[in-house]
DNA sequence: AACGGTTGCAACCGCGGAATA
DNA sequence: CTATTCCGCGGTTGCAACCGT
């Protein structure tokens, strides 16, 4: 599944699959002190990793509100709809799917949704062609080509309710989303709780600014 | 059972933009 | 204004698991 472990002699930094030990260290450190500086963080957290790698690992895997497992039909529909609108803006799409990282969404798109989308486009094309025959009558009834298209594209949205759900989803106030995720962050019992309990604070080196609260990340529990 | 091809996903890489000196 | 540093994003890669023959 994951890459085999390797070591970059040039930089002296480790690459490849993260071990449970590394996960524990990173999760415990970020939870306690926040991500005040990704580049410096691994040094203080006692990790032989580059900052980018730590950031990625945290965002895609260790973050407490991260949702794992199968995508729901709603999630698939949201992704496909947003991708049709804004294309490969994965981070923007991820905003509409709390708990899913941009990387995860991107992977999901490339592995399954892309094929489905292509298939459905083909399917729509055929339907649209067929519908062109009836276009004239639509115009007579003051129905725009778009409306007509939406109507026949049942292949994409077989359930009108789903469309409504998605539209509502898109209108969710971003502040609410943020508050919700922060709320979950602090209140839900997470895997990392056990990490923290098993990782003593004394294992970390902490910059004075962080230690004494001179610098506080907005994501830090110190807040 | 063995093999080769395909799939799913974690992780890396390079680039661009924002922030800072 | 320029140079440098850092972060975030999107594309790509590599590998284990799965599947079909």
């Amino acid at each position: 599944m994951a890459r085999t472990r390797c070591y970059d002699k040039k930089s002296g930094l480790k690459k490849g699959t993260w071990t449970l030990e590394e996960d524990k260290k990173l999760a415990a450190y970020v939870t306690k002190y926040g991500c005040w500086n990704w580049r410096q963080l691994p040094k203080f957290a006692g990790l032989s990793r580059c900052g980018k790698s730590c950031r990625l690992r945290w965002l895609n895997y260790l973050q407490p509100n991260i949702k794992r497992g199968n995508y729901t039909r709603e999630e698939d529909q949201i992704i496909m709809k947003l991708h049709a609108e804004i294309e490969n803006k994965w981070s923007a799409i991820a905003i509409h799917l709390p708990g899913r990282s941009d990387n995860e969404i991107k992977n999901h798109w490339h592995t399954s949704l892309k094929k489905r989308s292509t298939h459905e486009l083909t399917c729509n094309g055929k339907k649209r062609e067929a519908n062109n025959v009836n276009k004239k009558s639509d115009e007579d009834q003051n129905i725009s080509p778009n409306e007509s298209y939406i109507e026949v594209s049942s292949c994409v949205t077989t359930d009108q309710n789903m469309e409504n759900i998605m539209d509502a989803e898109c209108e969710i106030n971003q502040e609410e989303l943020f508050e919700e995720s922060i709320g979950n962050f602090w209140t839900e019992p997470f895997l990392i709780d056990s990490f923290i309990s098993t990782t003593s604070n004394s294992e970390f080196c902490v910059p004075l600014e962080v230690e004494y609260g001179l610098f506080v990340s907005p994501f830090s529990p110190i807040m």
Side-chain angles (χ1 to χ4, degrees), chain A residues 52-68:
Chain A
K52 269 189 169 186
S53 184
C54 292
R55 179 184 159 272
L56 202 73
R57 184 65 177 170
W58 172 257
L59 291 177
N60 294 332
Y61 199 83
L62 298 174
Q63 215 174 179
N65 57 340
I66 214 82
K67 206 193 285 180
R68 308 203 67 78

Side-chain angles (χ1 to χ4, degrees), chain A residues 31-48:
Chain A
T31 306
K32 188 160 174 61
Y33 300 108
C35 40
W36 48 276
N37 182 329
W38 282 117
R39 204 176 154 89
Q40 299 292 321
L41 190 145
K43 205 162 61 188
F44 288 97
L47 292 160
S48 306

Side-chain angles (χ1 to χ4, degrees), chain A residues 99-118:
Chain A
R100 302 287 190 186
S101 70
D102 52 354
N103 198 42
E104 205 185 353
I105 292 169
K106 180 173 61 184
N107 279 333
H108 185 54
W109 170 262
H110 285 303
T111 53
S112 51
L113 296 183
K114 195 176 178 179
K115 292 168 204 162
R116 206 194 301 175
S117 175
T118 311

Side-chain angles (χ1 to χ4, degrees), chain A residues 146-200:
Chain A
N146 275 349
E147 283 172 310
S148 179
Y149 174 56
I150 291 166
E151 201 179 314
V152 293
S153 63
S154 56
C155 178
V156 176
T157 50
T158 50
D159 187 351
Q160 188 58 43
N161 289 337
M162 194 57 66
E163 281 282 334
N164 297 336
I165 291 167
M166 283 153 55
D167 289 340
E169 192 84 41
C170 293
E171 286 166 17
I172 291 174
N173 186 316
Q174 290 304 309
E175 268 181 37
E176 283 174 17
L177 263 181
F178 179 72
E179 277 174 23
E180 187 185 312
S181 65
I182 292 296
N184 291 344
F185 188 101
W186 304 125
T187 54
E188 284 182 16
F190 297 113
L191 181 65
I192 56 164
D193 288 346
S194 59
F195 284 3
I196 298 158
S197 63
T198 56
T199 313
S200 106

